[in-house]
Amino acid sequence: MLPNSDRDGQSRSFIEEARRAQIVTAAVETIAEVGYHRASMGRIGTRAGISRGLISYHFAGKSELISQVITTVYSDAAAFMTPVIDAEATPAGQLRAYIGSNLEYMRAYPARMVAIVEILTGGGLADLPDADPAEFDRQMLLPLEQLFAAGQASGEFRDFDVTVMARIVRSAIDLVPTALSRDPDLDIDRYLREITTALDHATRPVPSTSEET
C-alpha cells in the first residue's frame, strides 16, 4: 500500500496526512509519558487537542495507530542513520557509525525511543493483528549480521557468531532509551564511548601467537 493511501486505497489529502502525523506525535508523547497500556485513545486525543472520534476517522483503532507509530519511528531512524553508515568505507567504520548514529537519533528524539521501548516491553507487537514478532526481530538483526559477515570476510573482525554479536549490539543500544526515560539528562556521549570501545574490543581480530612474540 502506498504511504499516502488509506485502507480503501484512496489518496489522502495533505491536510489528512498532517492530521495523521499530529496524532502519531501525540501518541508518541503520551506513551513516553504514561506508558503503553495507559495511553488510551482519549489521552492521545487530549494531547493532540482533538476528539477521540476524529482519531477514529484517521485510524481504525489503537492497534492501527501503534502500528503507524512503529513504522514512523523506524523509518525515520533508518533515514537518519543510513547516510552516516554508508559514508564509511569499512565494516569497522560502519559499525561505529551504526552505533553512533543510533545514539544520536536517540539524543535528537528521546520521546520516540522511550515510546518504542514502552510499546515493545508492554507487549505492543502482540496487540497488532498483522505483526510477527519473530520477523520483526529478524529484520532488526539482519543489517548487523550482514555487516559482521562482511567484516569477517575482510579480516577486520574475528570469527564469532554474527547473530549472537548482533543481539549483543542491539541489547547495548536498546538499554539507552530505558536509561533516558529515567534520566532525561543522560550523558549519551559517555554511553557512545563505552559501547563503541566495548564492541571494538569484542570484534577485533585475535593476534596470532607469532604476532604476539
Side-chain angles (χ1 to χ4, degrees):
M1 182 179 295
L2 295 175
N4 64 339
S5 298
D6 62 21
R7 293 183 301 277
D8 297 322
Q10 300 298 313
S11 177
R12 290 193 294 264
S13 70
F14 174 81
I15 294 176
E16 288 175 321
E17 287 290 350
R19 179 68 77 185
R20 283 171 62 89
Q22 177 190 7
I23 295 168
V24 167
T25 297
V28 165
E29 294 172 349
T30 304
I31 294 168
E33 180 181 344
V34 305
Y36 169 66
H37 291 292
R38 296 181 63 196
S40 65
M41 297 289 270
R43 282 179 184 258
I44 293 169
T46 298
R47 182 172 289 269
I50 60 178
S51 68
R52 177 172 178 167
L54 187 55
I55 294 180
S56 298
Y57 171 80
H58 293 282
F59 296 95
K62 185 176 179 179
S63 63
E64 185 181 346
L65 175 54
I66 296 303
S67 178
Q68 186 59 53
V69 167
I70 294 172
T71 298
T72 296
V73 172
Y74 280 105
S75 296
D76 285 355
F80 183 95
M81 294 169 59
T82 298
V84 180
I85 297 169
D86 288 348
E88 296 293 333
T90 66
Q94 290 174 348
L95 177 59
R96 289 190 294 270
Y98 179 95
I99 298 168
S101 61
N102 211 313
L103 267 63
E104 286 298 335
Y105 185 84
M106 293 178 183
R107 192 204 304 271
Y109 303 102
R112 291 184 180 184
M113 304 317 302
V114 173
I116 286 294
V117 170
E118 288 288 337
I119 291 169
L120 298 182
T121 60
L125 285 182
D127 293 340
L128 304 182
D130 298 326
D132 182 346
E135 178 61 17
F136 180 86
D137 184 58
R138 192 186 75 82
Q139 291 298 324
M140 288 296 294
L141 297 177
L142 184 59
L144 281 167
E145 291 172 338
Q146 294 173 335
L147 190 159
F148 286 138
Q152 289 175 336
S154 69
E156 289 183 73
F157 297 149
R158 67 176 178 83
D159 184 30
F160 52 76
D161 186 300
V162 297
T163 300
V164 171
M165 190 62 74
R167 290 192 184 281
I168 291 172
V169 174
R170 282 307 329 165
S171 295
I173 292 172
D174 291 342
L175 287 174
V176 176
T178 300
L180 263 176
S181 68
R182 297 169 181 166
D183 179 12
D185 297 321
L186 188 74
D187 186 349
I188 290 183
D189 289 327
R190 184 174 63 179
Y191 273 75
L192 175 57
R193 286 194 303 271
E194 297 300 338
I195 293 174
T196 302
T197 300
L199 267 297
D200 178 57
H201 285 288
T203 58
R204 68 174 55 169
V206 179
S208 65
T209 304
S210 60
E211 292 175 332
E212 294 176 334
T213 57

